[in-house]
Amino acid sequence: METLKIFGGNTLNGEIEVDGSKNSFLPIMAASVLCDGEIVLKRYPNLSDLIIMREILGTLNISTHVDGKTLYIDSRNSENKKITHDLTQKVRASIFILGALLGKFRSAVIAYPGGCNIGERPIDIHLKSFRTLGCRIIERHGYIYCYGENMKAGEVVLDFPSVGATESLLMCACVLEGETIIRNPAKEPEIVDLQEFINSMGGNVKGAGTDKIVINGVKSLHGTTFSVMYDRIVAGTYLLATATCGGHVLVKGVDSRHNSSLLAYLRQTACQIDVFNDKIELKADKRLSSIKRVTTMPYPFFPTDLQAPMMTLQSVSQGVCFLEETIFENRFGHVFELKKMGADIITKNRIAMIRGVDRLFGADVTATDLRAGAALVMAGMKAEGYTTIHNVDLIDRGYEKIEEKYALLGADIKRITI
Ligand code: EPZ
């Protein structure tokens, strides 16, 4: 079992490069099922969620291998297989395979994907979308049986701009003859990346990132070489960590437009922010003032995945912050852990009132999800004394060698195997 041991108090200084986006790689790897060819994906980060997605592709007779930061996928001999419970429990993004299998084979059988600590995470919007296009779906004994032989292109209106449902639908419709329109889609940059990836394989998708996506189905998709976008959530985490611990950090390889909501909030706190082409520089040389109100919303507003790291910053800022989590029903697992370290936080339903304290104290804490874990690492680097973080495997799902990255910036942080 591994833990992270941190001695807090150091500021963070230096430069850090961001890897490819976990939340773009996952749907793009699933979409590779659609093509009959070889795919080369650049900027591959070595994350446990992606290793599991490779395992799922393997069950479909799709071979993958990694060379440095490049992932090679061979979909030429893909087969339609049942995606079993043991696989779908490991990573929720396994649900993306459903849309890809329906697109490629017009049928699929998949176990319900795992929920996780942040909420129930239903897939009703995914299934309703497929039914709207004529897919016959039977849900029984924990499995979803999909029969898509009569599916036709058409218009789908999403009840909520679900990221996963938008991506699943994109994958299925891009090889469905005719024009499919998605209204009220999610607008996250990862959706645009998936559109660009599908089009690089010969697809015809337009409008990702806007209120209406128009998909003209093609007969088949060919192999491609594609550079996946950088991870905007990891970039935002590094910026929030620097604001929390103090220091001067240059985050490289990012599109600052993807973090505009975070930067707008941080500019209220008196930290200095400079933006260049693909770099964001942040300087924080004194205690920052609180942000009065923070609300998580679908893109382009403040992302739920940065809510926990933002809460850590607000825990040590000057003043009071009211933070509202509107996306997931149970994403305050980190509150109890931060309070163990001396944070002053009161929650009611999905709202947290955070009164900034002068200092945090090191403690034994447990990550409840990957972003909560990232928030606790930040708190440990800020706190007085030692902090030990448990459930490090959750952090490894979305952050590659987090301790090495922060140690390079001056943090006193080690991974301990016990
Ligand atoms: C994606 O999850 C991300 N995961 C999440 O990142 C991210 O937090 C989330 O989008 C929101 O931005 C990946 O991309 C792999 P949703 P997803 O469908 O697709 C409800 C991380 O930390 N909903 O937009 O599951 C759902 O319960 C992870 O990297 C339904 O009710 O998010 C939630 O309340 C965590 N029915 C809300 O919509 C559905 O059919 C947003 O979910 C689908 C979703």
Side-chain angles (χ1 to χ4, degrees):
M1 212 240 306
E2 294 181 320
T3 61
L4 292 178
K5 195 163 183 71
I6 306 167
F7 187 74
N10 296 1
T11 58
L12 301 179
N13 297 282
E15 297 188 2
I16 191 161
E17 179 92 42
V18 179
D19 291 316
S21 162
K22 165 179 86 77
N23 289 351
S24 194
F25 258 96
L26 285 166
I28 283 175
M29 288 169 73
S32 65
V33 172
L34 295 164
C35 110
D36 292 315
E38 292 180 287
I39 290 165
V40 179
L41 298 177
K42 299 199 179 300
R43 297 196 191 116
Y44 178 80
N46 187 27
L47 299 171
S48 50
D49 268 13
L50 303 187
I51 292 168
I52 295 163
M53 183 55 90
R54 288 176 59 198
E55 203 181 313
I56 293 174
L57 292 178
T59 63
L60 304 175
N61 199 34
I62 294 173
S63 63
T64 61
H65 75 275
V66 172
D67 180 6
K69 291 282 184 193
T70 303
L71 172 66
Y72 297 84
I73 302 175
D74 185 346
S75 295
R76 282 174 294 187
N77 305 307
S78 62
E79 296 166 5
N80 192 0
K81 292 280 180 61
K82 185 178 190 176
I83 308 296
T84 54
H85 178 272
D86 60 307
L87 286 170
T88 60
Q89 288 309 300
K90 288 181 186 172
V91 64
R92 174 181 159 70
S94 50
I95 188 62
F96 295 142
I97 290 285
L98 175 56
L101 290 174
L102 274 178
K104 181 70 177 285
F105 300 109
R106 292 284 182 278
S107 73
V109 179
I110 184 168
Y112 264 92
C116 60
N117 291 335
I118 63 178
E120 180 208 343
R121 306 191 73 180
I123 57 169
D124 56 314
I125 302 173
H126 296 244
L127 302 184
K128 183 179 172 188
S129 304
F130 292 134
R131 286 187 168 111
T132 303
L133 296 180
C135 184
R136 192 161 54 85
I137 298 176
I138 298 168
E139 300 170 67
R140 192 169 298 151
H141 309 304
Y143 276 83
I144 306 159
Y145 297 82
C146 301
Y147 307 95
E149 63 277 10
N150 297 322
M151 290 183 81
K152 290 197 177 9
E155 180 165 307
V156 181
V157 182
L158 297 189
D159 298 339
F160 176 85
S162 153
V163 171
T166 306
E167 292 165 338
S168 296
L169 202 44
L170 247 178
M171 284 184 228
C172 177
C174 68
V175 283
L176 188 62
E177 191 185 350
E179 181 179 85
T180 295
I181 292 175
I182 307 177
R183 295 198 187 278
N184 191 30
K187 303 189 192 77
E188 274 70 1
E190 292 77 18
I191 315 274
V192 178
D193 220 30
L194 179 61
Q195 167 182 280
E196 298 313 307
F197 171 69
I198 289 172
N199 289 345
S200 78
M201 292 194 290
N204 181 350
V205 182
K206 296 185 180 68
T210 72
D211 289 324
K212 177 180 160 188
I213 299 177
V214 180
I215 304 151
N216 278 286
V218 294
K219 285 206 179 327
S220 65
L221 295 169
H222 54 69
T224 185
T225 295
F226 187 78
S227 291
V228 176
M229 68 177 274
Y230 287 98
D231 197 314
R232 63 190 171 97
I233 302 300
V234 170
T237 306
Y238 293 152
L239 292 169
L240 284 160
T242 308
T244 300
C245 300
H248 177 186
V249 169
L250 181 67
V251 179
K252 299 189 295 185
V254 288
D255 181 337
S256 59
R257 291 169 300 173
H258 294 161
N259 281 302
S260 52
S261 58
L262 168 65
L263 296 179
Y265 274 140
L266 286 176
R267 285 191 172 106
Q268 295 176 34
T269 67
C271 64
Q272 282 173 271
I273 292 171
D274 291 303
V275 172
F276 312 93
N277 301 337
D278 64 345
K279 299 179 185 68
I280 302 174
E281 186 176 25
L282 187 143
K283 287 181 203 162
D285 51 15
K286 59 181 183 303
R287 185 180 181 190
L288 300 178
S289 47
S290 297
I291 301 166
K292 302 284 174 285
R293 284 185 63 82
V294 174
T295 306
T296 66
M297 297 277 282
Y299 194 85
F301 300 105
F302 185 68
T304 173
D305 293 345
L306 288 178
Q307 180 257 104
M310 174 62 88
M311 189 179 285
T312 294
L313 170 60
Q314 296 310 303
S315 297
V316 293
S317 295
Q318 179 79 45
V320 177
C321 168
F322 284 90
L323 184 154
E324 184 175 11
E325 169 58 59
T326 70
I327 306 293
F328 289 106
E329 67 269 28
N330 186 30
R331 202 167 197 175
F332 280 162
H334 43 287
V335 170
F336 179 71
E337 303 301 318
L338 287 170
K339 289 170 77 169
K340 281 188 205 168
M341 301 177 74
D344 179 354
I345 306 169
I346 300 169
T347 60
K348 184 165 174 48
N349 301 326
R350 296 190 183 192
I351 292 183
M353 186 184 86
I354 307 144
R355 188 184 303 279
V357 293
D358 297 341
R359 72 190 74 151
L360 294 174
F361 302 97
D364 269 68
V365 290
T366 301
T368 49
D369 71 84
L370 73 155
R371 309 301 175 186
L376 294 173
V377 170
M378 290 163 53
M381 293 191 294
K382 178 67 177 175
E384 283 183 7
Y386 282 103
T387 295
T388 299
I389 297 181
H390 301 267
N391 279 6
V392 177
D393 56 307
L394 287 182
I395 302 174
D396 294 338
R397 291 184 54 189
Y399 296 86
E400 185 178 0
K401 299 192 182 85
I402 195 167
E403 74 280 5
E404 292 181 14
K405 301 278 175 58
Y406 281 134
L408 280 174
L409 295 177
D412 182 345
I413 178 171
K414 295 181 186 63
R415 183 179 292 252
I416 311 284
T417 305
I418 45 180

